[in-house]
Amino acid sequence: MKTLADIRALDAADPLAGFRARFTLPDGVIYLDGNSLGALPVDVPARMEDVIRREWGEDLIRSWNTNDWINAPGRLGAKIARLIGAGDDEVIAGESTSVNIFKALCACIQLSPGRSIILSEAGNFPTDAYMMEGIAAFSGGRIRQSLVAREAIEDALTEDVAALLLTHTHYKSGQLHDMAALTRKAHAKGIPVIWDLSHSAGAMPVSLNAFEADFAVGCGYKYLNGGPGAPAFLFAAKRHHDKIFPVLSGWLGHARPFAFDDGYEAAPGIDRFQCGTPGILGMAALEVGLDIMLEADMDDVRAKSQALGDLFIELVEARLDGFELRSPRNAAERGSQVSIAHPDGYAIMQALIARGVIGDFRAPDILRFGFTPLYVSHEDVWTAVDTLAGVMQSGEWRQERFSVRSAVT
Ligand SMILES: *Cc1c(COP(=O)(O)O)cnc(C)c1O
């Protein structure tokens, strides 16, 4: 087992160590939940103050032009594109991931005339499956949802499938799909693929265009540190743009929104995936997070994320009994999180949070720990496991208050 001295040496050699100072985290907190809500960048409050007082308060409606509000979705989209291997005219920021899943699924259905199945993985993040159910219900029987086990996905790629929707990094286990291989296999059957990058964007290099991906979506508030409910993003490969009549054909996706024509004419390119007026306050916060992320070398981010996860697994296995690893042991098959299971996982996580180590719980029994390389150190991992060992040894998690369920876990 590594000693604390070994671990401190790793931090001393960490090329990303300087990024910690760019985030505001309360004293006494070790934050291992950046995969659910990224930490607050130090520069966000001042930027929000400026966008509210000056851009909104003083410049008022002129800001759509003078402060370039109107181009925020495309400008932020181009920044996100650099993190996910896309062209700068292939990504738009806005909406929630759920809404972008709807847009992308409907686009795939249009690209796949005569096909009736929209396919995903059983146990995917619920909203992905729920959005599919909504489309199936709305279609009046023309479109059917199919959810199959992870191992059965390849066999389910048939010529009836209109869309394959997969989450690259599984939200519970952290297990990665082989994006290149699955995209290739789906394309061999003429199936467009949507990659949900919610737990991948900002956590590791992603190369959408190298794999000829069709669509992708993801969250702005996880590893991109855009704040609660931050705008999400949608990637659509350039080759598809002009073939798609956007299902949410709002006025800001029109070729000439300020012509106020009666009829809809889709904007050329990625802009057609815009719908209504973007939330500028959310865009302003997200842009600060993106600018920080873009300063980091994504290979360094990936290397540190894997090292932190490996260290966590090593320390948990050396120091704790009764927990079962539910993430791949091999870092190459894992995103930036590690899940361990325990029958009393909920109460244990609440007791751990009470001691200042914040992870989260996913039913029925998973304690999930996210390792955000920009602000988590190797020593934080050591302290987190040490604290968890203290919670188990003292038995304090058995206190009744730790079993009371909150609305959000
Ligand atoms: C977090 C997450 C979402 C969240 O969707 P919202 O619309 O932002 O609530 C969707 N899909 C996956 C895979 C996620 O991990």
Side-chain angles (χ1 to χ4, degrees):
M1 192 180 95
K2 286 189 187 63
T3 65
L4 190 51
D6 300 333
I7 286 166
R8 288 185 174 147
L10 294 173
D11 283 332
D14 173 10
L16 299 175
F19 283 96
R20 172 67 184 79
R22 310 285 294 279
F23 293 89
T24 303
L25 284 164
D27 289 339
V29 164
I30 291 180
Y31 192 58
L32 303 181
D33 212 0
N35 52 319
S36 233
L37 174 65
L40 170 67
V42 171
D43 289 341
V44 163
R47 175 66 191 125
M48 295 305 284
E49 174 94 12
D50 185 52
V51 77
I52 290 170
R53 292 202 186 279
R54 181 179 59 83
E55 297 190 6
W56 177 13
E58 293 173 24
D59 296 351
L60 290 159
I61 198 161
R62 293 168 289 191
S63 280
W64 287 104
N65 294 311
T66 58
N67 292 307
D68 208 28
W69 285 357
I70 195 67
N71 292 315
R75 186 175 70 246
L76 272 66
K79 291 182 180 189
I80 295 166
R82 289 162 56 194
L83 298 170
I84 58 175
D88 60 10
D89 50 357
E90 293 181 306
V91 181
I92 198 97
E95 330 278 7
S96 63
T97 300
S98 303
V99 170
N100 287 331
I101 289 169
F102 180 81
K103 293 181 187 177
L105 282 167
C106 291
C108 290
I109 292 167
Q110 281 181 42
L111 291 172
S112 310
R115 297 180 178 221
S116 58
I117 294 174
I118 47 180
L119 177 68
S120 190
E121 177 183 350
N124 195 352
F125 189 81
T127 208
D128 298 54
Y130 300 165
M131 295 311 291
M132 299 173 95
E133 281 189 56
I135 291 173
F138 179 68
S139 79
R142 193 179 96 60
I143 301 294
R144 280 188 302 118
Q145 179 199 37
S146 170
L147 298 180
V148 300
R150 196 174 185 93
E151 311 71 55
I153 294 170
E154 287 183 24
D155 287 340
L157 298 173
T158 63
E159 280 164 17
D160 309 337
V161 177
L164 172 63
L165 168 61
L166 291 175
T167 297
H168 180 227
T169 306
H170 195 276
Y171 78 103
K172 255 191 205 173
S173 68
Q175 194 175 359
L176 291 177
H177 273 301
D178 183 339
M179 190 184 282
L182 280 162
T183 303
R184 195 171 56 242
K185 284 176 182 152
H187 284 178
K189 294 287 166 71
I191 303 167
V193 187
I194 305 163
W195 286 103
D196 187 331
L197 301 178
S198 291
H199 288 278
S200 302
M204 66 188 76
V206 176
S207 313
L208 289 173
N209 280 341
F211 306 140
E212 295 182 11
D214 300 281
F215 297 91
V217 298
C219 299
Y221 53 81
K222 293 176 176 168
Y223 293 97
L224 302 182
N225 304 309
F233 64 86
L234 172 68
F235 157 86
K238 206 179 171 90
R239 64 183 181 281
H240 294 319
H241 292 175
D242 294 341
K243 295 182 210 144
I244 291 157
F245 189 104
V247 61
L248 298 179
S249 42
W251 74 302
L252 285 186
H254 192 283
R256 295 171 305 281
F258 289 87
F260 297 105
D261 291 337
D262 279 346
Y264 183 80
E265 185 188 325
I270 191 71
D271 283 339
R272 71 181 52 200
F273 293 96
Q274 283 197 70
C275 181
T277 307
I280 294 300
L281 303 184
M283 293 275 175
L286 173 59
E287 193 161 16
V288 176
L290 291 174
D291 286 341
I292 297 172
M293 200 75 237
L294 285 168
E295 288 175 39
D297 180 321
M298 285 311 290
D299 291 325
D300 288 346
V301 169
R302 178 64 171 148
K304 184 175 172 190
S305 139
Q306 293 182 314
L308 294 174
D310 284 346
L311 177 63
F312 180 79
I313 293 170
E314 178 191 333
L315 296 175
V316 165
E317 293 188 339
R319 298 195 52 188
L320 293 164
D321 291 320
F323 290 90
E324 187 192 320
L325 180 64
R326 289 285 178 83
S327 295
R329 186 173 296 278
N330 176 1
E333 296 167 23
R334 192 173 73 217
S336 203
Q337 70 194 59
V338 173
S339 295
I340 53 178
H342 190 287
D344 296 300
Y346 183 81
I348 293 167
M349 180 55 82
Q350 304 324 302
L352 190 61
I353 292 171
R355 283 207 190 195
V357 176
I358 302 180
D360 62 21
F361 172 78
R362 288 293 173 263
D365 59 356
I366 287 182
L367 298 96
R368 189 173 68 158
F369 298 89
F371 302 101
T372 312
L374 295 190
Y375 51 79
V376 174
S377 68
H378 297 79
E379 186 166 346
D380 287 337
V381 172
W382 190 88
T383 308
V385 176
D386 192 51
T387 308
L388 180 55
V391 164
M392 298 314 290
Q393 277 149 22
S394 69
E396 68 202 49
W397 60 272
R398 294 179 195 278
Q399 293 170 30
E400 216 165 290
R401 62 189 174 119
F402 293 132
S403 294
V404 178
R405 298 265 171 153
S406 308
V408 175
T409 62

